[in-house]
């Protein structure tokens, strides 16, 4: 191909650079037709698809004859109306991109010469390459935005999961402390021992620097117990020390108002003798909560912190311990109640521990049903889920009353306890008289504002007439409502945690799958589009080099450099394409791709693959990257001399093992590529273990289940 006068390979390259510089595909098409028109002295140039004109020049705004341009582009007409010049011969060139597009050129002057036609073909090819490149870049940017959106969504889910975990850990710690105190009270040791233990539990649970318990005695309060943290600058007040209540902002306030209070750093120093003692010990804020015994104000619990303000819920949490203190002081009559409370807290702790450890919801449901029968002393406990069709499904049951098995469904009609909870969204207590009096108590399981189901306990007595105290049945029902409601709250947290974890896992898998699909498409587009275009352009330039005149002598040299440069660009593009997605994995399967990896490995590698047929993409892709990353680490960091790769599929499980004899010491916590590898394997539903003792080499073992769980 001979270039027209005034044109060179350099100008063609400049044309490519100019068209490629536009931000969007449409603006690049507009820029291309303008430059083609200028180069060929043509009044009309257009890029036409089967149904539209993508870009056109030479017509007034809003007056582009799309139908005529499409007819010429499809070969139905050979001439095109040029504004001001009438019907003129048109030149039509196919574009590789957009699909089915053609470039149409017409001018008032003579038809295009052979050289100009060749130049038109070259500019059309360059235009196709530029438009395809811009489209690929647009797709990549869209993928990046979607990936960023998914990452933000994952971060929100992880934050929610973390918040639930923190709440559960705090609840488990609080319930453990309450259980220890309740158990101690139930054993009925000396009062001093019980009160001292309460002060220690409160201080450690709330992170306080000092806790004191005082008993009200007329116009003063006497110290009866205390505990000091290890960092406290001074001692607790000695036992029997009396503090005047007049003007006191802590014990005096509780005595006057009969409610809890808090004092921040700004006023603690002027709050009376008790507050001044806290300041002298290096504390800056405090709370005081009342202790009520048998309906009367008995004393106060005071806690101090080095922070400027106490914890937000300190008064509420201290109040629970104050109740235990009151129980201990109530003595013999309270003993049975303390034992009951210890059992209750133990039950809550057992369930809370299961939730905190991330046990599946089914295990939580079964534990709650069992704990209902223990705490409320009823014959049957169960958990039900409300369905959209006004029915319930039994998800857990324990006891002896023969309630339907797990998975059974029942309509939510009538006036049973489940139906009442379903209609009102509140706890319910239902008594069904007859030969046997059946008492049922239920509490709703709420996920935010949504009623998910209910936790229910049922008991039976011989008859209402046999009861010594009919009011006792109602009182027991009210107590049971409270206890079952606490268990229902734990069930709700467990379900929320399971949902959040499932959403996080699913989202991670979608992100990885989307990224793999995008890489696969990008690799295919690069290979089938831009890469082939560059090859064709290199051949055309090589042909132009052979046809170029020897004068000036710099022209052949310049063309040769351009062809060599295109070759280097093509090699780099092939390397990038191979890195985006291994084509040999999609074409030949895992064994074929791994053998290619082993052959190219910088460290000698042995490979043993015992897999029959192809594996699912969700297994093949992460398995390939496990081996690829392991070989890369062995070459870059491990100083290894040998790598052994073993892949086997047995009993529905694929195991990928990679071992090297390097220096070891690989650590996923130090920001290496192993972190991304762990995320990729777990997102595919697999598991990975990395063993890398210093001096002992590195071993990776990834396992994938072939069947979805």
């Amino acid at each position: 191909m001979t270039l027209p006068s005034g044109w060179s390979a350099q100008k063609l390259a400049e044309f490519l650079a100019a068209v490629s510089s536009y931000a969007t595909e449409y603006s690049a098409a507009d820029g291309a037709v303008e430059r083609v028109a200028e180069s060929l002295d043509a009044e009309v140039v257009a890029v036409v698809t089967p149904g539209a004109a993508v870009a056109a020049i030479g017509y007034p705004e809003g007056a582009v004859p799309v139908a005529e341009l499409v007819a010429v582009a499809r070969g139905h007409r050979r001439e095109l109306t040029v504004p001001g010049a009438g019907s003129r011969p048109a030149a039509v060139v196919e574009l590789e991109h957009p699909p089915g597009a053609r470039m149409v050129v017409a001018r008032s002057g003579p038809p295009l010469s052979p050289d100009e036609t060749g130049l038109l073909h070259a500019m059309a090819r360059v235009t196709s390459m530029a438009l395809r490149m811009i489209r690929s870049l647009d797709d990549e940017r869209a993928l990046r935005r979607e990936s960023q959106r998914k990452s933000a969504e994952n971060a929100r889910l992880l934050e929610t999961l973390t918040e639930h975990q923190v709440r559960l850990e705090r609840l488990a710690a609080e319930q453990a402390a309450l259980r220890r105190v309740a158990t101690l009270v139930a054993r009925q040791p000396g009062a001093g021992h019980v009160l001292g233990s309460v002060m220690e539990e409160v201080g450690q649970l709330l992170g306080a620097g000092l806790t004191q318990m005082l008993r009200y005695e007329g116009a003063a309060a006497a110290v009866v117990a205390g505990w000091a943290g290890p960092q406290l600058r001074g001692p607790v007040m000695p036992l029997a020390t009396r503090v005047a209540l007049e003007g006191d902002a802590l014990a005096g306030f509780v005595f006057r108002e009969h409610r809890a209070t808090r004092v921040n750093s700004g006023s603690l120093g002027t709050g009376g003798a008790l507050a001044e003692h806290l300041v002298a010990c290096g504390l800056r804020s405090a709370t005081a909560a009342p202790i009520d015994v048998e309906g009367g104000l008995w004393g106060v619990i005071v806690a101090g912190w080095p922070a400027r303000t106490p914890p937000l819920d300190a008064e509420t949490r201290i109040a629970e311990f104050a109740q235990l203190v009151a129980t201990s002081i109530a003595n013999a009559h309270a003993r049975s109640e303390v034992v009951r409370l210890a059992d209750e807290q133990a039950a809550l702790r057992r369930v809370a521990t299961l939730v905190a450890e991330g046990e599946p919801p089914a295990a939580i449901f079964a534990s709650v049903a069992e704990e209902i029968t223990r705490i409320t002393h009823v014959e049957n406990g169960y958990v039900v889920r409300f369905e959209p069709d006004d029915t319930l499904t039994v998800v857990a049951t324990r006891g002896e009353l023969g309630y339907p098995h797990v998975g059974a469904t029942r309509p939510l009609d009538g006036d049973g306890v489940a139906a009442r909870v379903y209609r009102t969204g509140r706890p319910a207590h239902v008594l069904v008289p007859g030969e046997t009096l059946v008492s049922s108590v239920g509490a709703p399981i709420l996920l935010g504002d949504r009623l998910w189901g209910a936790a229910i306990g049922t008991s039976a007595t011989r008859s209402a007439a046999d009861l010594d105290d009919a009011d006792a049945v109602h009182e027991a029902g009210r107590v049971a409502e409270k206890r079952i409601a606490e268990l229902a709250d734990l069930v709700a947290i467990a379900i929320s945690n399971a949902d959040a974890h499932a959403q996080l896992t699913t989202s991670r898998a979608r992100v990885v799958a989307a990224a793999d699909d995008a890489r696969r498409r990008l690799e295919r587009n690069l290979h089938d589009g831009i890469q082939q275009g560059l090859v064709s352009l290199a051949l055309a330039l090589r042909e132009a080099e052979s046809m170029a005149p020897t004068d000036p002598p710099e022209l052949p040299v310049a063309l040769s450099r351009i062809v060599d440069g295109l070759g280097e660009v093509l090699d780099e593009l092939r390397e990038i394409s191979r890195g985006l997605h291994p084509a040999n994995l999609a074409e030949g399967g895992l064994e074929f791709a791994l053998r290619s990896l082993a052959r190219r490995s910088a460290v000698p590698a042995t490979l043993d693959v015992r897999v029959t047929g192809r594996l699912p993409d969700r297994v093949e892709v992460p398995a390939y990257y496990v081996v690829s990353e392991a070989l890369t680490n062995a070459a870059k960091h491990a100083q290894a001399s040998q790598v052994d790769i073993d892949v086997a599929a047995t009993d529905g499980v694929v195991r990928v093992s990679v071992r090297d004899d390097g220096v070891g010491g690989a650590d996923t916590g130090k920001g290496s590529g192993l972190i991304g590898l762990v995320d990729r394997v777990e997102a595919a539903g697999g598991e990975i273990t990395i063993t890398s003792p210093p001096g002992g080499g590195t071993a990776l073992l990834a396992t994938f289940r072939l069947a979805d769980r």
Side-chain angles (χ1 to χ4, degrees):
M1 179 183 71
T2 302
L3 296 175
S5 175
W7 272 82
S8 65
Q10 178 63 32
K11 292 190 66 174
L12 193 60
E14 291 175 356
F15 176 78
L16 171 60
V19 176
S20 301
S21 67
Y22 288 93
T24 66
E25 195 173 358
Y26 287 107
S27 61
D30 289 335
V33 298
E34 289 180 5
R35 290 181 177 271
V36 170
E38 179 182 349
S39 301
L40 299 178
D41 195 23
E43 286 84 358
V44 175
V45 180
V47 174
V48 184
T49 60
V54 176
I57 190 172
Y59 298 104
E61 184 176 359
V64 177
V66 176
E68 183 182 3
L69 287 171
V70 171
V72 172
R74 296 175 65 85
H76 300 322
R77 295 182 55 177
R78 297 184 179 275
E79 293 185 342
L80 182 66
T81 302
V82 176
S87 183
R88 306 297 296 170
V92 180
V93 180
E94 283 195 29
L95 298 179
E96 298 175 3
H97 185 82
R102 291 175 171 81
M103 183 176 286
V104 179
V105 178
R107 64 184 183 185
S108 59
L112 299 182
S113 67
D115 285 347
E116 290 175 320
T117 301
L119 177 60
L120 175 60
H121 279 80
M123 289 191 291
R125 178 165 295 174
V126 170
T127 300
S128 297
M129 292 171 56
L131 295 181
R132 179 181 284 114
M133 185 184 303
I134 292 172
R135 169 55 61 87
S136 297
L137 292 174
D138 287 343
D139 291 344
E140 182 180 355
R141 283 191 289 267
L143 175 63
R144 187 180 299 113
R145 287 192 297 269
E146 178 64 13
S147 177
Q148 291 171 348
R149 188 186 70 81
K150 292 294 184 182
S151 296
E153 180 182 343
N154 288 345
R156 288 193 297 271
L157 289 174
L158 183 59
E159 182 180 359
T160 300
L161 193 61
T162 302
E163 290 176 356
H164 285 169
Q165 187 73 18
V166 170
R167 288 175 55 195
L168 289 171
E169 290 174 354
R170 196 190 76 174
L171 177 61
E174 183 173 336
Q175 299 304 326
L178 287 169
R179 184 191 179 194
R180 287 192 294 270
V181 174
T183 303
L184 181 63
V185 171
R187 292 173 183 167
Q188 290 191 335
H193 187 190
V194 173
L195 302 182
S197 297
V198 169
M199 291 298 91
E200 182 178 357
E201 293 288 358
V202 170
Q204 292 182 347
L205 181 65
L206 300 181
L210 178 146
T211 56
Q212 300 262 202
M213 184 183 299
L214 298 93
R215 182 182 62 212
Y216 290 122
E217 298 177 351
V223 176
V224 295
W227 172 86
Q231 305 301 322
L232 194 68
R233 292 209 303 245
V236 298
M237 283 185 169
L239 296 181
T241 300
R242 292 174 61 84
V243 177
L245 300 179
E246 182 67 27
D248 188 89
L250 294 169
F253 179 91
V254 173
F255 182 77
R256 292 187 296 272
E257 302 293 335
H258 203 158
R259 60 185 176 88
T261 186
R262 60 173 46 213
V263 179
N264 297 331
S265 60
S267 55
L268 185 61
T270 59
L274 187 56
E276 291 173 0
H277 176 73
L278 296 178
V279 173
C281 291
L283 305 177
R284 305 170 66 189
S285 61
T287 62
I291 301 173
D292 291 317
V293 177
E294 296 181 351
L297 183 60
W298 180 89
V300 62
I301 294 176
V302 177
W305 287 267
R308 296 178 59 86
T309 59
L312 291 178
D313 56 350
E315 298 89 338
T316 302
R317 299 169 73 183
I318 290 175
E320 297 182 5
F321 288 90
Q323 292 175 0
L324 289 177
V325 172
T327 301
S328 176
I329 297 169
N331 229 338
H333 178 71
R335 180 175 182 180
S336 60
E337 185 67 15
V338 172
V339 173
R340 178 195 61 77
L341 183 60
D343 290 342
E344 175 186 346
Q345 301 303 326
L348 290 173
R349 183 188 180 194
R350 285 192 292 270
V351 177
T353 300
L354 291 177
V355 177
E357 291 175 350
E359 291 294 326
I364 307 295
F365 299 155
S367 177
V368 167
E370 183 173 350
E371 296 297 349
I372 288 174
T373 63
R374 290 180 178 178
I375 296 177
T376 60
H377 307 291
V378 298
E379 288 86 351
N380 207 72
Y382 46 92
V383 180
V384 300
R385 181 180 65 241
F386 296 146
E387 307 294 356
D389 59 352
D390 295 335
T391 62
L392 65 80
T393 299
V394 180
V395 297
T397 180
R398 289 290 188 278
E400 303 173 355
L401 291 185
Y403 197 83
H405 58 81
V406 173
T409 60
R410 290 290 184 274
L412 284 165
D413 52 12
D415 199 35
V417 66
R420 285 196 186 182
V421 174
Y422 180 68
R423 288 195 301 269
T424 64
R426 301 176 61 184
H429 180 204
V430 175
L431 293 174
V432 181
E435 292 186 3
T436 59
L437 178 66
V438 178
S439 175
S440 299
V441 178
I445 299 173
L446 297 170
L447 303 184
D449 296 331
R450 180 168 69 90
L451 180 61
W452 183 90
I456 299 173
T458 303
S459 62
T461 59
R462 287 182 297 169
S463 70
D466 292 335
L467 293 175
D468 295 333
D469 186 358
D471 292 338
V473 176
H474 296 280
E475 178 61 25
R478 286 192 292 270
V479 173
E481 284 181 5
K482 175 181 177 295
R483 299 174 186 172
I484 294 176
E486 292 173 341
L487 290 169
D489 289 342
L490 291 176
V491 173
I493 293 175
I495 297 171
S496 298
N497 279 354
D499 289 346
H501 185 270
Q503 292 177 37
L504 178 61
T505 301
T506 302
S507 179
R508 289 173 63 189
R510 284 199 304 268
V511 170
V512 171
D516 286 342
D517 289 343
R519 289 191 183 97
R520 190 179 293 108
R521 288 196 304 271
L522 187 56
E523 185 274 336
R524 185 169 57 249
N525 290 340
L526 289 174
H527 180 273
D528 298 341
I530 298 175
Q531 197 169 317
Q532 298 300 325
L534 287 174
V535 171
S536 300
L537 184 58
L539 293 175
L541 287 174
R542 186 65 75 182
E543 180 182 0
E545 178 188 5
S546 65
M547 299 171 59
T550 58
D551 186 24
E554 293 83 0
L555 179 59
V557 175
L559 287 175
S560 179
R561 282 200 302 270
I562 293 174
V563 173
D564 293 341
L566 278 176
E568 295 175 359
V569 171
L570 187 58
D571 290 339
E572 293 180 2
L573 187 61
R574 288 195 183 102
E575 190 64 26
I576 293 173
S577 175
R578 190 179 299 114
L580 286 173
H581 186 80
N584 52 9
L585 178 63
E587 296 170 359
L590 182 61
E591 182 175 2
F592 178 76
L594 293 184
R595 295 199 181 280
S596 176
L597 276 179
R599 285 194 300 271
R600 299 200 312 269
S601 173
V603 179
T606 64
L607 176 65
D608 184 11
V609 179
R610 300 183 302 284
V611 175
T612 303
R614 292 295 297 268
L615 299 174
D617 280 351
R618 66 176 182 82
V619 174
E620 282 193 341
V621 173
Y624 174 88
Y625 282 113
V626 166
V627 178
S628 176
E629 182 65 28
L631 291 176
T632 299
N633 284 345
K636 289 185 176 181
H637 310 295
Q639 304 175 26
S641 61
Q642 177 70 31
V643 179
D644 298 319
I645 307 167
D646 184 84
V647 181
T650 56
D651 299 327
V653 178
V654 177
R655 294 175 177 83
V656 181
S657 172
V658 186
R659 298 176 178 270
D660 67 50
D661 59 356
V663 297
D667 186 0
T668 57
K670 295 182 179 179
S672 67
L674 296 177
I675 298 176
L677 196 61
V678 172
D679 290 342
R680 175 179 284 275
V681 170
E682 291 180 350
E687 299 176 353
I688 184 169
T689 57
I690 301 172
T691 306
S692 185
T698 299
L700 278 73
L701 175 62
T703 58
F704 306 88
R705 291 187 179 274
L706 291 177
D708 292 333
R709 299 187 207 186

